[in-house]
Amino acid sequence: MSEREYPTALGASTKDTITLLGHDLADEVMGEVGFGELAFWLATQRRPAPGEVRVFEAVLAALADHGFTPTAIVARLTHLSAPDSVQGVLAAGLLGGGSRFLGVTEDCGRFLHRHLPDPPPHDDAGWDACALRIVRAQREAGRFVPGLGHHVHKDGDPRTRRLFTIAGEEGLLGPHLQLFAAIGRVHPEVLGKRLPLNGAGVCGAALADLGLPLELLRGFALLARTAGLIGQLAEELRSPVANEIFLSVDRHTGSVDPAPYRP
Amino acid sequence: MSEREYPTALGASTKDTITLLGHDLADEVMGEVGFGELAFWLATQRRPAPGEVRVFEAVLAALADHGFTPTAIVARLTHLSAPDSVQGVLAAGLLGGGSRFLGVTEDCGRFLHRHLPDPPPHDDAGWDACALRIVRAQREAGRFVPGLGHHVHKDGDPRTRRLFTIAGEEGLLGPHLQLFAAIGRVHPEVLGKRLPLNGAGVCGAALADLGLPLELLRGFALLARTAGLIGQLAEELRSPVANEIFLSVDRHTGSVDPAPYRP
Amino acid sequence: MSEREYPTALGASTKDTITLLGHDLADEVMGEVGFGELAFWLATQRRPAPGEVRVFEAVLAALADHGFTPTAIVARLTHLSAPDSVQGVLAAGLLGGGSRFLGVTEDCGRFLHRHLPDPPPHDDAGWDACALRIVRAQREAGRFVPGLGHHVHKDGDPRTRRLFTIAGEEGLLGPHLQLFAAIGRVHPEVLGKRLPLNGAGVCGAALADLGLPLELLRGFALLARTAGLIGQLAEELRSPVANEIFLSVDRHTGSVDPAPYRP
Amino acid sequence: MSEREYPTALGASTKDTITLLGHDLADEVMGEVGFGELAFWLATQRRPAPGEVRVFEAVLAALADHGFTPTAIVARLTHLSAPDSVQGVLAAGLLGGGSRFLGVTEDCGRFLHRHLPDPPPHDDAGWDACALRIVRAQREAGRFVPGLGHHVHKDGDPRTRRLFTIAGEEGLLGPHLQLFAAIGRVHPEVLGKRLPLNGAGVCGAALADLGLPLELLRGFALLARTAGLIGQLAEELRSPVANEIFLSVDRHTGSVDPAPYRP
């Protein structure tokens, strides 16, 4: 292998064979490996155990579609404007997957990882003490705790409860989820009110516990959302609303005088 | 519901519930529905049977990653240049999913659908007669048959054989796959040489047999590729090659005189 | 020059010099060449004359911004959702620049080019006869004439009149514009009603007369729109409306039962 | 105007008129306002003076194209892969306009703005004292000074010298450029070696002196690059190299064993 060779463990082929991740694509992957399992495997180059796949796919389900979010509206409007390019519709939708609407998953996973105690506590009391220090430090610094609070599900996000259950069933309640649960228990003592642990946050904790690369947590949210955007596009093709959304803006547009920028 | 309401059967939520496709997201979808199954369901608003999921996921596996394709190189170079935006990396990669590299799946599915005989033949001889007419008509019009031929797998594409096997095992050898198989049998009689039925084409036939929207066949290829691009990005983070690719181009760049455009 | 060299007449640099289009970038381009002029030059590798620049920049002005179009809404919503990435905002907006909202410019330029008579007529009567044949043929084929008609400016698009005037002042009323003008004169005889020649169409005719590559006409519309999208983003930063647009959709969303896809 | 109205000072139209920035588009903008001037006006809602336009367009020229950069390669590969979508080609190219390759302009403009002394010094000695404090503080914090250094133009970037000259000629040597010049004079005293002020950095300083929104400095680099990408695409259409670039990577690809991710 020369120094200029580009090595890869992903897809490769010769005249008679195609391999993916070191396995024969046709005989060992197709029909044998589910899509969520494959996505996990591609990202980590390690085949996940069935329990890991179940948790991972539960996360993807939680993040796939949240109705008429900005990303969904963007995808539908892009289809209205440029129906010739499915790839453009999906790409435009994904470009909204940034810091505000999809970023909590990544932010929460990274936050928990950065604050994991070493060695890990032996019991809930230990986790609670650790969580208390963290929440206090955030409050003193005037910063939010990622994953805490939700503007709609104020009394509890049903996805959070459910993902803890699933992870518990599969023996995958790792340190990120445990720290997140402890934050959920202790924060009222510091903040003076009870906030829900939100679904985007618990997804980040679960993905981190699965050992997925922290730099890619947003990527998994985007993968889930790609499936959701295809759903949005399919629904738009069947019963279009994008033109009505456009017109509802257009109807309420008003011309005003220019206002020079002041830095 | 007022006339200005935007209806959707996808994600929706109230203070205490979140639904997706008319089901409780937390209790009926998370932990219960695989990611491939969910993607199918989102696109069709119909829950697929297990055999349909297996065929669908086999297609996604076949299309997920083909190594250093232009889309993979684009994703890696975009990461090199703008590492701050995972969504930009994935979107840039998907934008290469157009007519040439990912289009065969859609083209083949649409082509077969347009030429399905009505009523369908009762036996292989009937399919062969139909396929013969189609291949002859294409040849006379000076057009290719989508899905026929491969620049590397000249003696047969292993994905094709395998996908026929899986579809057969699941009782899902529908009219699109049967017509495609017949084209594979009869075309040498017209073209004077034997070409392989390629993997991208058989994927289009299988997706069409699953009853998926033809307008979205390219979308499923893009969904598969999103998982592949995350794999590429993960590998790039672990053992980067994008800068070397860039430099290998840069080193061989030569300045020449401008050449005016002549229409 | 080895066979693997990548030649380019665009940007190039050595330790002490930077050239662009065969000229010294610092001393011969910066401060000497306007931006519209440079964009023309980059696309054609031919420096345009001042009159050509004036027509070209008039076209860019005509296409830069049309208010709250889908592309503008998309850019603002993407900023709402992912404010961390200016490049994502602009890219998402441009992805709406497809066949429907920005495509008329390209379609019209290509249509006129395909139907240019050879040799060109000597006078208006000759152009009218040619235009009459073309409009009749389109009508008989059940096809629209690109560039004819506007849903708002029914009595005439002010951009059209103006661009003809500017091109005339600069001696650049070429065959595409002349054929377009003739279509404007004769079509009522065939269609039984008078439709305006629209602004997007006349821009396509003018760009084609400037000798710009037909494959890139949409590209110039996108360049103009990039400036417009920066304007939209600047206004969104100063007086945000994207969240209100999102909420106005969100408020009117209604959950309905899934409706299975029927091909 | 109702509370749901979306105000804009950009494009607006009625049946008979089209306005842009409060002016009649056809009669007051088309043919009267250059494209660089219009882009400035759209971003600031203030019509620039001729000298401001000259400096602004000099910056756009400096940033338009730098040859086979990752963004140019990405655009060409995307065209190879999806030639059906010009908007996809440009969008993919722009997505590489992030923190690393186009970010210096924004970073430098923001950095200088944040460190502007108030009140501004009266003479070069005052600016030098200020610059010395800034460079020392950066060095002590172990941070680079944005805009200082270039991997190729080690003895001086010709764009920098030229842009200072142009700004001086137009009476637009504002505080950002003056501070940047002072950094260029004093840094060897702190760093022990002389580094060039690079072109991307001086562009950021000049844009900031023009009073352009700091949040949009990257946007102007992207606008310039859009023209450059159209040039790249035009050249690719005329003398294609993307397939050769792809093959040069493909030829040097080597399959290796998967390597599990370790956080």
Side-chain angles (χ1 to χ4, degrees):
Chain A
M1 221 163 60
S2 93
E3 56 162 335
R4 296 202 36 260
E5 196 124 18
Y6 305 117
T8 182
L10 303 172
S13 65
T14 65
K15 183 164 157 295
D16 295 313
T17 65
I18 306 178
T19 58
L20 187 65
L21 295 157
H23 288 259
D24 185 275
L25 170 63
D27 291 327
E28 295 172 14
V29 182
M30 289 171 65
E32 306 298 319
V33 180
F35 184 52
E37 183 180 3
L38 181 63
F40 188 115
W41 197 348
L42 283 162
T44 59
Q45 304 202 350
R46 173 179 75 77
R47 185 168 191 173
E52 293 176 307
V53 174
R54 185 161 172 248
V55 172
F56 182 59
E57 293 193 314
V59 168
L60 295 179
L63 299 174
D65 184 79
H66 297 160
F68 283 102
T69 55
T71 58
I73 301 170
V74 160
R76 290 185 184 235
L77 286 171
T78 301
H79 173 72
L80 174 69
S81 194
D84 40 314
S85 167
V86 171
Q87 68 268 30
V89 169
L90 298 182
L94 291 183
L95 288 170
S99 55
R100 210 168 295 168
F101 272 75
L102 283 189
V104 176
T105 296
E106 177 176 350
D107 293 345
C108 188
R110 284 179 183 272
F111 176 82
L112 295 169
H113 193 77
R114 203 164 48 238
H115 290 90
L116 282 188
D118 183 17
H122 299 295
D123 53 18
D124 277 3
W127 284 109
D128 284 0
C130 173
L132 210 50
R133 280 194 304 275
I134 292 168
V135 179
R136 280 203 180 110
Q138 287 295 105
R139 190 198 173 89
E140 275 159 28
R143 283 197 287 261
F144 291 109
V145 177
L148 200 55
H150 196 285
H151 66 296
V152 174
H153 308 298
K154 294 183 197 297
D155 295 339
D157 187 321
R159 293 166 295 190
T160 305
R161 168 188 53 72
R162 177 66 172 148
L163 197 56
F164 273 107
T165 303
I166 295 169
E169 287 170 0
E170 304 298 340
L172 290 165
L173 273 175
H176 301 85
L177 281 167
Q178 292 194 66
L179 178 55
F180 196 54
I183 288 172
R185 287 190 297 269
V186 306
H187 75 271
E189 192 178 327
V190 183
L191 306 181
K193 60 182 171 185
R194 177 169 298 280
L195 296 170
L197 296 173
N198 62 46
V202 76
C203 287
L207 292 174
D209 269 349
L210 290 170
L212 291 160
L214 295 169
E215 305 92 326
L216 292 181
L217 294 197
R218 189 185 296 187
F220 299 111
L222 292 163
L223 173 63
R225 190 49 53 97
T226 305
L229 290 172
I230 292 174
Q232 292 281 341
L233 178 54
E235 194 170 75
E236 177 70 17
L237 289 168
R238 206 183 302 142
S239 47
V241 300
N243 200 47
E244 177 56 28
I245 291 175
F246 161 52
L247 292 175
S248 82
V249 175
D250 194 55
R251 267 196 298 272
H252 295 87
T253 300
S255 193
V256 298
D257 285 340
Y261 171 74
R262 309 219 184 288
Chain B
M1 221 162 63
S2 91
E3 56 162 336
R4 295 201 40 263
E5 197 124 18
Y6 304 116
T8 182
L10 304 172
S13 65
T14 66
K15 181 163 159 295
D16 295 313
T17 65
I18 307 178
T19 57
L20 186 66
L21 294 157
H23 288 260
D24 186 275
L25 171 63
D27 290 327
E28 296 172 14
V29 181
M30 289 171 66
E32 306 298 320
V33 180
F35 184 52
E37 184 180 3
L38 182 63
F40 188 114
W41 197 349
L42 284 162
T44 60
Q45 303 202 350
R46 174 180 75 77
R47 186 168 191 173
E52 292 176 307
V53 174
R54 184 159 175 251
V55 171
F56 183 60
E57 294 193 312
V59 168
L60 296 179
L63 299 175
D65 184 79
H66 297 159
F68 283 104
T69 55
T71 59
I73 301 170
V74 159
R76 291 186 183 235
L77 286 171
T78 301
H79 172 73
L80 173 69
S81 195
D84 41 314
S85 167
V86 171
Q87 70 268 31
V89 169
L90 298 183
L94 290 183
L95 287 171
S99 55
R100 209 169 294 169
F101 271 75
L102 283 189
V104 176
T105 296
E106 178 177 350
D107 293 345
C108 188
R110 284 179 183 272
F111 176 82
L112 296 170
H113 193 76
R114 204 163 49 237
H115 291 90
L116 282 189
D118 182 16
H122 299 294
D123 53 18
D124 276 5
W127 284 109
D128 284 2
C130 172
L132 209 51
R133 278 193 306 274
I134 291 168
V135 178
R136 279 202 180 112
Q138 286 297 104
R139 191 198 173 90
E140 275 158 28
R143 284 198 287 261
F144 292 109
V145 176
L148 199 56
H150 196 286
H151 66 296
V152 173
H153 308 298
K154 293 183 198 297
D155 296 340
D157 186 321
R159 295 166 293 191
T160 305
R161 168 187 53 70
R162 177 66 171 148
L163 198 55
F164 273 108
T165 302
I166 294 168
E169 287 170 2
E170 303 299 340
L172 289 165
L173 272 174
H176 301 84
L177 282 167
Q178 291 195 67
L179 178 55
F180 196 53
I183 288 172
R185 288 190 298 268
V186 306
H187 75 270
E189 191 178 328
V190 183
L191 306 181
K193 60 183 172 185
R194 176 170 298 280
L195 296 170
L197 295 173
N198 63 46
V202 76
C203 287
L207 293 174
D209 269 347
L210 290 170
L212 291 160
L214 295 169
E215 304 91 328
L216 293 181
L217 295 196
R218 191 184 295 186
F220 299 110
L222 292 162
L223 174 63
R225 190 50 53 96
T226 305
L229 291 172
I230 291 174
Q232 291 282 340
L233 178 54
E235 193 171 76
E236 178 69 19
L237 289 168
R238 205 182 301 143
S239 47
V241 300
N243 200 46
E244 177 56 29
I245 291 175
F246 161 54
L247 292 176
S248 80
V249 175
D250 193 55
R251 267 197 299 272
H252 294 87
T253 299
S255 193
V256 297
D257 285 339
Y261 171 75
R262 306 214 186 293
Chain C
M1 219 162 64
S2 92
E3 56 161 334
R4 294 200 40 261
E5 196 123 19
Y6 304 118
T8 182
L10 304 173
S13 65
T14 65
K15 182 164 159 296
D16 296 313
T17 65
I18 306 178
T19 58
L20 186 66
L21 295 157
H23 288 259
D24 186 275
L25 171 63
D27 291 327
E28 295 171 14
V29 181
M30 289 171 65
E32 306 297 320
V33 180
F35 184 52
E37 183 180 3
L38 182 63
F40 188 115
W41 196 349
L42 284 162
T44 60
Q45 303 201 350
R46 173 179 76 77
R47 186 168 191 173
E52 292 176 306
V53 174
R54 185 161 174 250
V55 172
F56 183 59
E57 294 193 313
V59 168
L60 296 178
L63 298 175
D65 184 77
H66 298 159
F68 283 103
T69 55
T71 58
I73 301 170
V74 159
R76 290 185 184 235
L77 286 171
T78 302
H79 172 73
L80 174 70
S81 194
D84 40 314
S85 168
V86 172
Q87 70 267 29
V89 169
L90 298 182
L94 291 183
L95 288 171
S99 55
R100 210 169 293 169
F101 271 76
L102 282 189
V104 176
T105 296
E106 178 177 351
D107 293 345
C108 188
R110 284 180 184 273
F111 176 83
L112 295 170
H113 193 76
R114 205 164 48 239
H115 290 90
L116 282 188
D118 183 17
H122 298 296
D123 53 18
D124 276 4
W127 285 109
D128 284 2
C130 172
L132 209 50
R133 279 194 306 274
I134 292 167
V135 178
R136 279 204 179 112
Q138 286 296 104
R139 191 197 172 89
E140 275 158 28
R143 284 197 288 261
F144 291 109
V145 176
L148 199 55
H150 196 285
H151 67 296
V152 174
H153 307 299
K154 293 183 198 296
D155 296 338
D157 187 321
R159 294 166 294 190
T160 305
R161 168 187 53 72
R162 178 66 171 147
L163 198 55
F164 273 108
T165 302
I166 294 168
E169 288 170 1
E170 303 299 339
L172 289 165
L173 271 176
H176 301 84
L177 281 167
Q178 292 195 65
L179 178 55
F180 197 54
I183 289 173
R185 287 191 298 268
V186 306
H187 75 270
E189 191 178 328
V190 183
L191 306 181
K193 60 183 171 184
R194 176 169 299 280
L195 297 170
L197 295 174
N198 64 46
V202 75
C203 287
L207 293 174
D209 268 348
L210 290 171
L212 291 160
L214 296 170
E215 305 91 328
L216 293 181
L217 294 197
R218 190 185 296 187
F220 300 111
L222 292 162
L223 173 63
R225 190 49 54 94
T226 305
L229 291 172
I230 291 174
Q232 291 282 339
L233 178 54
E235 193 171 76
E236 178 70 18
L237 288 168
R238 205 182 301 142
S239 47
V241 300
N243 200 46
E244 176 56 28
I245 291 175
F246 162 52
L247 292 176
S248 81
V249 175
D250 194 54
R251 267 197 296 273
H252 298 275
T253 300
S255 194
V256 296
D257 285 338
Y261 171 74
R262 306 216 185 291
Chain D
M1 217 162 65
S2 92
E3 56 162 337
R4 297 200 40 260
E5 197 125 18
Y6 305 117
T8 182
L10 303 173
S13 64
T14 65
K15 183 164 158 295
D16 295 312
T17 65
I18 306 179
T19 58
L20 187 66
L21 295 156
H23 288 260
D24 185 274
L25 170 63
D27 291 326
E28 296 172 14
V29 182
M30 290 171 65
E32 306 299 319
V33 180
F35 184 52
E37 184 180 2
L38 181 63
F40 188 115
W41 196 349
L42 284 163
T44 60
Q45 303 202 352
R46 174 179 75 78
R47 186 169 191 172
E52 292 176 307
V53 174
R54 186 163 173 247
V55 172
F56 183 59
E57 293 193 314
V59 168
L60 296 179
L63 300 173
D65 184 79
H66 297 159
F68 283 102
T69 55
T71 58
I73 301 170
V74 159
R76 290 186 184 235
L77 286 171
T78 302
H79 172 74
L80 174 69
S81 195
D84 40 314
S85 167
V86 171
Q87 69 268 31
V89 169
L90 299 182
L94 291 184
L95 288 170
S99 56
R100 208 168 295 167
F101 270 76
L102 284 189
V104 176
T105 296
E106 178 177 350
D107 293 346
C108 188
R110 285 178 182 273
F111 176 82
L112 295 169
H113 193 77
R114 204 164 46 239
H115 291 90
L116 282 189
D118 182 17
H122 299 295
D123 53 18
D124 276 4
W127 284 109
D128 285 1
C130 172
L132 211 49
R133 279 194 304 275
I134 291 167
V135 178
R136 278 201 181 112
Q138 286 296 104
R139 189 196 175 90
E140 275 158 30
R143 282 198 287 264
F144 291 109
V145 177
L148 200 55
H150 196 286
H151 66 296
V152 174
H153 308 297
K154 293 182 197 298
D155 296 339
D157 187 320
R159 293 166 294 191
T160 304
R161 167 187 52 71
R162 177 67 172 148
L163 197 55
F164 273 109
T165 302
I166 294 169
E169 288 170 359
E170 304 299 340
L172 290 165
L173 272 175
H176 301 84
L177 281 167
Q178 291 193 68
L179 178 54
F180 196 54
I183 289 172
R185 289 190 297 269
V186 306
H187 76 272
E189 192 178 328
V190 184
L191 306 181
K193 60 182 170 183
R194 176 169 298 280
L195 295 170
L197 296 174
N198 63 46
V202 76
C203 287
L207 293 174
D209 268 348
L210 290 171
L212 291 160
L214 295 169
E215 305 91 328
L216 292 181
L217 294 197
R218 191 186 294 186
F220 299 111
L222 291 163
L223 173 63
R225 190 49 52 97
T226 305
L229 290 172
I230 291 174
Q232 291 281 340
L233 178 53
E235 193 170 77
E236 177 70 19
L237 288 168
R238 204 182 302 144
S239 46
V241 300
N243 199 47
E244 177 56 28
I245 291 175
F246 162 52
L247 292 175
S248 81
V249 175
D250 193 56
R251 267 196 298 272
H252 295 87
T253 300
S255 194
V256 297
D257 285 339
Y261 171 75
R262 306 215 187 291

